[in-house]
Amino acid sequence: MGSTSAHKNEGLGRRDVIKRSAALGLITVPTMSFLSACASSDSGTDDSVKKGKTSAKNPLGVNETAALDVVIFDGGFGQQYAIDAEKKYNAAFPKAPKVKHTATQKIQSQLQPRFNGGTPPDLIDNSGAEQMDMGVLVGKKQLLDLTPLMDAPSIDDPSKKVRDTLRPGVLEMGQFDGDPVWIMYYAYTVYGVWYSQTALENLDAQYPENWDDMLALCAKAKKKGIAGWTYAGKYPYYLPFSLYPFIGKIGGREVLDKIDNLEPNAWKDPAVKAAFEAYYELYKKGYVLKGTPGMTHIQSQTAWTKGKALFIPNGSWVENEAAPTTPKDFKMMVSAPSSLDSSDKMPFGTIWASGGEPFVVPAKAKNPEGGMEQLRIMLSEESSKNFTKQVKSLSAFNGGTDGLTLSTAMQAGVDALKKAGDNVVNPRLQDWYVKLQKEQIGVAGIGEMMAGRATPAEAIKKIQAFADAAAKDQSIKHYKHQ
């Protein structure tokens, strides 16, 4: 993952002067239903189509007359980019029926019965609030190894393998244990603190590069009737999009690795305590938009684009998702988290960026070669450019922006990646342990703290207990950074 830049401790740091607030009473909160994928791996019958003949034009051996069944998550990126790529599949295999295309936000609800029955689609965009647990799917051998796709010639340059056309880290994200590649993350997401450059200019301010300046700017905004922060209160697992790289910046990427590895007392690291206390300060000082804990991601984004709050933790899909309510002069931007103080172990600019929008081919797909071929088409320069133009996000294809006029948000993401250099972190909890990340750490831990129903110390204690329980749970497969 690259080396980290260390800073010597210069005087008294902010983490030494943040005072822990008096404990507030905890109240119970309804838990989210755990959206797991627990299908039996031996259900259903084997009625997969016969593999076709391999050739230069058909390196994966797609059956040229077989149907292809694709299910796309209809969220921030919409579905048109996938439909456009499916048209290219139809053109390449004119003897096959038109691709069966389904778009839904209910991925788990609609697909779990099909997995249970042994009749899953050929390609799935497994994303959204009802994302099936990737770690469970891999652990129960329900996904196809995509190594043949990775080793296939790319569409644009047959002398290059598909794996050689991907952005750094994308291939590794799809690997859970060893060499097999289980997931193709199609989007390339920049996570961080999103803001309106216009809003900051109206306050005669710049993005705050340290936490003292962040609090001072929030105080200035409050006097103008503007909140400092908002977030998806009903889905507080959005908060880690800026909180996790903040923790990594303070204590080094090894702190995040220990958390991912479910190591004992990983959440009790001083960097976690410092980061939690800093965020809790936003709540205690009234810098979080009133009503935020009850907001969905759309409601919080709308409040933000309407100028009710300066900052929101999010991923780069937000530009497209919030487009209907974003003013033309908004100048949407993203930045890495502010520094806590000069003793942080990683420099300002440290950011979380990684593959997003996970595509999988089920092990029991009827036409697995077709599913992989559809991904190969999507990873061409033409399809990648189409994706970027439509949804204002980078793709996993390492390129695809030449000749395009980038929006302020996309350019800010590109600039943030350039500034970060090797200081890009990639926490894996949301891939490896979905229940732990979303329901427990997100809702019951961080969400309760930011709503004022738990102190940082209480939240950390609760989260550590959740992590310890997950580490001891022999019914789930465990993963570690290699």
Side-chain angles (χ1 to χ4, degrees):
M1 281 188 168
S3 60
T4 63
S5 299
H7 293 268
K8 293 183 179 179
N9 194 337
E10 299 175 7
L12 191 66
R14 275 198 50 80
R15 64 174 62 84
D16 300 312
V17 299
I18 294 177
K19 304 298 183 184
R20 189 185 309 169
S21 302
L24 297 175
L26 274 171
I27 66 171
T28 58
V29 60
T31 59
M32 295 164 50
S33 60
F34 173 34
L35 304 173
S36 63
C38 311
S40 168
S41 59
D42 57 2
S43 58
T45 56
D46 185 10
D47 54 356
S48 57
V49 301
K50 185 179 179 181
K51 185 175 179 178
K53 185 178 180 181
T54 59
S55 65
K57 289 186 176 181
N58 186 11
L60 291 167
V62 177
N63 184 316
E64 297 187 7
T65 63
L68 181 66
D69 186 355
V70 178
V71 177
I72 297 293
F73 171 66
D74 192 10
F77 293 142
Q79 55 177 305
Q80 189 59 47
Y81 75 94
I83 293 172
D84 292 343
E86 289 160 9
K87 290 176 182 176
K88 294 187 179 300
Y89 182 95
N90 288 132
F93 304 101
K95 295 179 183 178
K98 182 181 178 182
V99 173
K100 181 183 177 183
H101 174 93
T102 305
T104 180
Q105 293 190 0
K106 303 290 185 180
I107 293 293
Q108 193 269 346
S109 298
Q110 292 193 14
L111 296 186
Q112 194 62 65
R114 295 186 63 179
F115 271 91
N116 290 340
T119 59
D122 302 311
L123 181 63
I124 303 167
D125 174 13
N126 183 30
S127 190
E130 280 208 24
Q131 177 188 65
M132 292 180 290
D133 191 319
M134 220 78 72
V136 173
L137 288 173
V138 173
K140 289 187 174 290
K141 298 179 170 41
Q142 291 185 296
L143 300 183
L144 187 75
D145 178 8
L146 301 178
T147 297
L149 165 65
M150 296 301 149
D151 289 337
S154 68
I155 284 180
D156 299 301
D157 183 356
S159 69
K160 278 187 177 181
K161 294 180 180 180
V162 169
R163 67 171 67 238
D164 298 325
T165 68
L166 304 178
R167 292 185 186 276
V170 172
L171 182 74
E172 290 76 13
M173 277 197 70
Q175 296 172 318
F176 278 56
D177 233 352
D179 294 332
V181 182
W182 306 109
I183 305 160
M184 177 62 242
Y185 288 88
Y186 186 62
Y188 196 71
T189 303
V190 177
Y191 301 97
V193 182
W194 293 76
Y195 63 97
S196 160
Q197 181 63 31
T198 300
L200 294 194
E201 289 171 356
N202 290 340
L203 289 169
D204 193 26
Q206 295 180 334
Y207 181 82
E209 295 191 6
N210 64 68
W211 203 249
D212 282 329
D213 289 347
M214 171 61 76
L215 294 177
L217 178 53
C218 288
K220 185 176 184 180
K222 188 177 181 180
K223 290 179 181 178
K224 301 282 188 180
I226 304 169
W229 285 62
T230 188
Y231 59 91
K234 286 190 174 181
Y235 313 115
Y237 45 82
Y238 275 57
L239 282 160
F241 295 153
S242 60
L243 181 59
Y244 283 179
F246 189 41
I247 291 170
K249 185 184 184 317
I250 295 168
R253 65 176 82 246
E254 60 270 18
V255 177
L256 297 177
D257 286 354
K258 288 176 181 178
I259 287 173
D260 285 342
N261 292 343
L262 303 181
E263 294 183 21
N265 298 318
W267 285 93
K268 296 180 181 179
D269 190 281
V272 177
K273 180 176 182 289
F276 273 43
E277 288 179 345
Y279 269 51
Y280 190 63
E281 218 172 349
L282 296 173
Y283 158 75
K284 289 294 291 182
K285 293 190 173 181
Y287 297 155
V288 177
L289 180 65
K290 187 176 180 180
T292 287
M295 292 182 179
T296 65
H297 58 302
I298 298 297
Q299 289 169 330
S300 61
Q301 288 165 189
T302 301
W304 171 62
T305 56
K306 288 186 175 180
K308 295 181 179 179
L310 293 181
F311 302 111
I312 189 168
N314 222 311
S316 46
W317 62 80
V318 68
E319 180 180 12
N320 195 56
E321 196 168 60
T325 63
T326 303
K328 289 183 179 180
D329 63 347
F330 193 73
K331 295 182 185 176
M332 190 180 294
M333 305 281 277
V334 63
S335 177
S338 309
S339 299
L340 184 66
D341 59 43
S342 59
S343 65
D344 288 358
K345 290 189 177 178
M346 298 181 75
F348 174 71
T350 298
I351 203 165
W352 180 1
S354 64
E357 216 61 13
F359 279 76
V360 296
V361 176
K364 287 186 173 292
K366 290 182 180 179
N367 184 8
E369 291 80 21
M372 287 192 289
E373 179 64 19
Q374 181 61 53
L375 284 175
R376 194 172 79 100
I377 291 170
M378 290 169 63
L379 289 168
S380 67
E381 182 171 8
E382 185 178 0
S383 289
S384 177
K385 277 189 174 182
N386 186 52
F387 175 78
T388 297
K389 283 192 292 186
Q390 283 191 22
V391 309
K392 301 180 176 66
S393 174
L394 299 174
S395 80
F397 176 77
N398 196 1
T401 59
D402 293 343
L404 297 182
T405 301
L406 302 183
S407 64
T408 58
M410 277 201 68
Q411 188 62 55
V414 171
D415 292 344
L417 289 171
K418 184 177 180 180
K419 181 175 180 62
D422 291 336
N423 297 301
V424 175
V425 296
N426 186 10
R428 300 303 305 277
L429 278 183
Q430 67 176 7
D431 312 312
W432 291 351
Y433 310 106
V434 173
K435 176 184 177 182
L436 174 63
Q437 166 66 10
K438 290 188 173 181
E439 181 180 341
Q440 298 178 327
I441 295 170
V443 175
I446 297 170
E448 288 293 278
M449 179 184 77
M450 292 304 292
R453 295 188 288 260
T455 63
E458 289 168 338
I460 289 170
K461 182 178 180 180
K462 183 187 283 190
I463 290 171
Q464 185 62 63
F466 288 138
D468 291 342
K472 294 174 183 175
D473 188 348
Q474 295 305 307
S475 70
I476 60 176
K477 185 170 176 62
H478 297 100
Y479 305 97
K480 290 187 181 295
H481 285 276
Q482 301 297 315

CSV table of all heavy atoms in Angstrom, one decimal, residues 165-190:
chain,number,residue,atom,x,y,z
A,165,THR,N,-5.4,-3.3,-17.7
A,165,THR,CA,-6.0,-2.0,-18.1
A,165,THR,C,-6.7,-1.4,-16.9
A,165,THR,O,-7.4,-0.4,-17.0
A,165,THR,CB,-7.1,-2.3,-19.2
A,165,THR,OG1,-8.2,-3.1,-18.7
A,165,THR,CG2,-6.4,-3.0,-20.4
A,166,LEU,N,-6.6,-2.0,-15.7
A,166,LEU,CA,-7.4,-1.6,-14.5
A,166,LEU,C,-6.6,-0.6,-13.7
A,166,LEU,O,-5.4,-0.6,-13.7
A,166,LEU,CB,-7.8,-2.8,-13.7
A,166,LEU,CG,-8.6,-3.9,-14.3
A,166,LEU,CD1,-8.8,-5.0,-13.3
A,166,LEU,CD2,-9.9,-3.3,-14.9
A,167,ARG,N,-7.3,0.3,-13.0
A,167,ARG,CA,-6.7,1.3,-12.1
A,167,ARG,C,-6.1,0.5,-10.9
A,167,ARG,O,-6.5,-0.6,-10.6
A,167,ARG,CB,-7.7,2.3,-11.6
A,167,ARG,CG,-8.3,3.2,-12.7
A,167,ARG,CD,-9.2,4.3,-12.1
A,167,ARG,NE,-9.8,5.1,-13.2
A,167,ARG,CZ,-9.2,6.1,-13.7
A,167,ARG,NH1,-8.0,6.5,-13.3
A,167,ARG,NH2,-9.8,6.8,-14.7
A,168,PRO,N,-5.1,1.1,-10.3
A,168,PRO,CA,-4.4,0.5,-9.2
A,168,PRO,C,-5.4,0.1,-8.1
A,168,PRO,O,-6.2,0.9,-7.7
A,168,PRO,CB,-3.4,1.6,-8.7
A,168,PRO,CG,-3.2,2.4,-9.9
A,168,PRO,CD,-4.5,2.5,-10.6
A,169,GLY,N,-5.2,-1.1,-7.6
A,169,GLY,CA,-6.0,-1.6,-6.4
A,169,GLY,C,-7.3,-2.3,-6.8
A,169,GLY,O,-7.9,-2.9,-5.9
A,170,VAL,N,-7.8,-2.1,-8.0
A,170,VAL,CA,-9.1,-2.6,-8.4
A,170,VAL,C,-9.1,-4.2,-8.4
A,170,VAL,O,-9.9,-4.8,-7.8
A,170,VAL,CB,-9.5,-2.1,-9.7
A,170,VAL,CG1,-10.8,-2.9,-10.2
A,170,VAL,CG2,-9.8,-0.6,-9.7
A,171,LEU,N,-8.0,-4.7,-9.0
A,171,LEU,CA,-7.9,-6.2,-9.0
A,171,LEU,C,-7.9,-6.8,-7.6
A,171,LEU,O,-8.6,-7.7,-7.3
A,171,LEU,CB,-6.7,-6.6,-9.8
A,171,LEU,CG,-6.5,-8.1,-10.0
A,171,LEU,CD1,-7.5,-8.7,-11.0
A,171,LEU,CD2,-5.1,-8.4,-10.5
A,172,GLU,N,-7.0,-6.2,-6.8
A,172,GLU,CA,-6.8,-6.7,-5.4
A,172,GLU,C,-8.1,-6.6,-4.6
A,172,GLU,O,-8.3,-7.5,-3.7
A,172,GLU,CB,-5.7,-5.9,-4.7
A,172,GLU,CG,-4.3,-6.1,-5.3
A,172,GLU,CD,-4.0,-5.4,-6.6
A,172,GLU,OE1,-4.8,-4.6,-7.0
A,172,GLU,OE2,-3.0,-5.8,-7.3
A,173,MET,N,-8.9,-5.6,-4.8
A,173,MET,CA,-10.2,-5.5,-4.1
A,173,MET,C,-11.1,-6.7,-4.4
A,173,MET,O,-11.9,-7.1,-3.5
A,173,MET,CB,-10.9,-4.2,-4.5
A,173,MET,CG,-10.4,-3.0,-3.7
A,173,MET,SD,-11.7,-1.7,-3.8
A,173,MET,CE,-13.0,-2.4,-2.8
A,174,GLY,N,-11.0,-7.3,-5.5
A,174,GLY,CA,-11.8,-8.4,-5.9
A,174,GLY,C,-11.3,-9.7,-5.4
A,174,GLY,O,-11.9,-10.8,-5.5
A,175,GLN,N,-10.1,-9.7,-4.8
A,175,GLN,CA,-9.5,-10.9,-4.2
A,175,GLN,C,-9.7,-10.9,-2.7
A,175,GLN,O,-9.3,-10.0,-2.0
A,175,GLN,CB,-8.0,-10.9,-4.6
A,175,GLN,CG,-7.6,-11.0,-6.0
A,175,GLN,CD,-6.2,-10.8,-6.3
A,175,GLN,OE1,-5.5,-9.9,-5.7
A,175,GLN,NE2,-5.6,-11.6,-7.3
A,176,PHE,N,-10.2,-12.0,-2.2
A,176,PHE,CA,-10.5,-12.1,-0.8
A,176,PHE,C,-9.4,-13.0,-0.1
A,176,PHE,O,-9.1,-12.8,1.0
A,176,PHE,CB,-11.9,-12.7,-0.5
A,176,PHE,CG,-12.9,-11.7,-0.6
A,176,PHE,CD1,-13.1,-10.9,-1.8
A,176,PHE,CD2,-13.8,-11.5,0.4
A,176,PHE,CE1,-14.1,-9.9,-1.8
A,176,PHE,CE2,-14.8,-10.5,0.4
A,176,PHE,CZ,-14.9,-9.7,-0.8
A,177,ASP,N,-9.0,-14.1,-0.8
A,177,ASP,CA,-8.1,-15.0,-0.2
A,177,ASP,C,-7.2,-15.6,-1.3
A,177,ASP,O,-7.7,-16.6,-1.9
A,177,ASP,CB,-8.9,-16.1,0.5
A,177,ASP,CG,-8.4,-16.3,2.0
A,177,ASP,OD1,-7.4,-15.7,2.4
A,177,ASP,OD2,-9.1,-17.0,2.7
A,178,GLY,N,-6.0,-15.1,-1.5
A,178,GLY,CA,-5.2,-15.6,-2.6
A,178,GLY,C,-5.5,-15.0,-3.9
A,178,GLY,O,-5.9,-13.9,-4.0
A,179,ASP,N,-5.2,-15.8,-5.0
A,179,ASP,CA,-5.3,-15.3,-6.4
A,179,ASP,C,-6.6,-15.1,-7.0
A,179,ASP,O,-6.8,-14.3,-7.9
A,179,ASP,CB,-4.4,-16.1,-7.3
A,179,ASP,CG,-2.9,-16.0,-6.9
A,179,ASP,OD1,-2.5,-15.0,-6.3
A,179,ASP,OD2,-2.1,-17.0,-7.1
A,180,PRO,N,-7.6,-16.0,-6.7
A,180,PRO,CA,-8.9,-15.9,-7.4
A,180,PRO,C,-9.5,-14.5,-7.3
A,180,PRO,O,-9.4,-13.8,-6.3
A,180,PRO,CB,-9.8,-16.9,-6.7
A,180,PRO,CG,-8.8,-17.9,-6.2
A,180,PRO,CD,-7.6,-17.1,-5.8
A,181,VAL,N,-10.2,-14.0,-8.4
A,181,VAL,CA,-10.8,-12.7,-8.4
A,181,VAL,C,-12.3,-13.0,-8.4
A,181,VAL,O,-12.9,-13.4,-9.4
A,181,VAL,CB,-10.4,-11.9,-9.7
A,181,VAL,CG1,-11.0,-10.5,-9.6
A,181,VAL,CG2,-8.9,-11.8,-9.7
A,182,TRP,N,-13.0,-12.6,-7.4
A,182,TRP,CA,-14.4,-12.9,-7.2
A,182,TRP,C,-15.3,-11.7,-7.6
A,182,TRP,O,-16.5,-12.0,-7.9
A,182,TRP,CB,-14.7,-13.3,-5.8
A,182,TRP,CG,-13.9,-14.4,-5.2
A,182,TRP,CD1,-12.9,-14.3,-4.3
A,182,TRP,CD2,-13.9,-15.8,-5.6
A,182,TRP,NE1,-12.3,-15.5,-4.1
A,182,TRP,CE2,-12.9,-16.4,-4.9
A,182,TRP,CE3,-14.7,-16.5,-6.5
A,182,TRP,CZ2,-12.7,-17.8,-5.0
A,182,TRP,CZ3,-14.5,-17.8,-6.7
A,182,TRP,CH2,-13.5,-18.5,-5.9
A,183,ILE,N,-14.8,-10.5,-7.6
A,183,ILE,CA,-15.6,-9.3,-7.9
A,183,ILE,C,-14.9,-8.4,-8.8
A,183,ILE,O,-13.7,-8.2,-8.7
A,183,ILE,CB,-15.9,-8.6,-6.5
A,183,ILE,CG1,-16.5,-9.6,-5.5
A,183,ILE,CG2,-16.8,-7.4,-6.7
A,183,ILE,CD1,-16.4,-9.1,-4.1
A,184,MET,N,-15.7,-7.8,-9.7
A,184,MET,CA,-15.1,-6.8,-10.6
A,184,MET,C,-15.8,-5.4,-10.2
A,184,MET,O,-17.0,-5.2,-10.4
A,184,MET,CB,-15.5,-7.1,-12.1
A,184,MET,CG,-15.0,-6.0,-13.1
A,184,MET,SD,-13.2,-5.8,-13.1
A,184,MET,CE,-13.2,-4.1,-12.6
A,185,TYR,N,-15.0,-4.6,-9.5
A,185,TYR,CA,-15.5,-3.3,-9.1
A,185,TYR,C,-15.4,-2.3,-10.3
A,185,TYR,O,-14.3,-2.0,-10.7
A,185,TYR,CB,-14.7,-2.8,-7.9
A,185,TYR,CG,-15.0,-3.5,-6.6
A,185,TYR,CD1,-14.3,-4.7,-6.3
A,185,TYR,CD2,-16.0,-3.0,-5.8
A,185,TYR,CE1,-14.6,-5.3,-5.1
A,185,TYR,CE2,-16.3,-3.7,-4.6
A,185,TYR,CZ,-15.6,-4.9,-4.3
A,185,TYR,OH,-15.9,-5.5,-3.1
A,186,TYR,N,-16.6,-2.0,-10.8
A,186,TYR,CA,-16.6,-1.2,-12.1
A,186,TYR,C,-16.3,0.3,-11.9
A,186,TYR,O,-15.6,0.9,-12.8
A,186,TYR,CB,-17.9,-1.5,-12.8
A,186,TYR,CG,-17.9,-0.8,-14.2
A,186,TYR,CD1,-16.9,-1.3,-15.2
A,186,TYR,CD2,-18.7,0.2,-14.6
A,186,TYR,CE1,-16.9,-0.7,-16.4
A,186,TYR,CE2,-18.7,0.8,-15.8
A,186,TYR,CZ,-17.7,0.3,-16.8
A,186,TYR,OH,-17.7,0.9,-18.0
A,187,ALA,N,-16.9,0.9,-10.9
A,187,ALA,CA,-16.7,2.3,-10.7
A,187,ALA,C,-15.4,2.5,-9.9
A,187,ALA,O,-14.9,1.6,-9.2
A,187,ALA,CB,-17.8,2.9,-10.0
A,188,TYR,N,-14.8,3.6,-10.0
A,188,TYR,CA,-13.6,4.0,-9.2
A,188,TYR,C,-14.0,5.1,-8.3
A,188,TYR,O,-14.3,6.3,-8.8
A,188,TYR,CB,-12.4,4.3,-10.0
A,188,TYR,CG,-11.1,4.2,-9.2
A,188,TYR,CD1,-10.6,3.0,-8.7
A,188,TYR,CD2,-10.4,5.4,-8.9
A,188,TYR,CE1,-9.4,3.0,-8.0
A,188,TYR,CE2,-9.3,5.4,-8.1
A,188,TYR,CZ,-8.8,4.1,-7.7
A,188,TYR,OH,-7.6,4.1,-6.9
A,189,THR,N,-14.2,4.9,-7.1
A,189,THR,CA,-14.8,5.9,-6.2
A,189,THR,C,-13.8,6.6,-5.3
A,189,THR,O,-12.9,6.0,-4.7
A,189,THR,CB,-15.8,5.1,-5.2
A,189,THR,OG1,-16.8,4.4,-6.0
A,189,THR,CG2,-16.5,6.1,-4.3
A,190,VAL,N,-14.0,7.9,-5.3
A,190,VAL,CA,-13.2,8.7,-4.4
A,190,VAL,C,-14.2,9.1,-3.2
A,190,VAL,O,-15.2,9.7,-3.4
A,190,VAL,CB,-12.7,10.0,-5.0
A,190,VAL,CG1,-12.0,10.9,-4.0
A,190,VAL,CG2,-11.8,9.7,-6.2
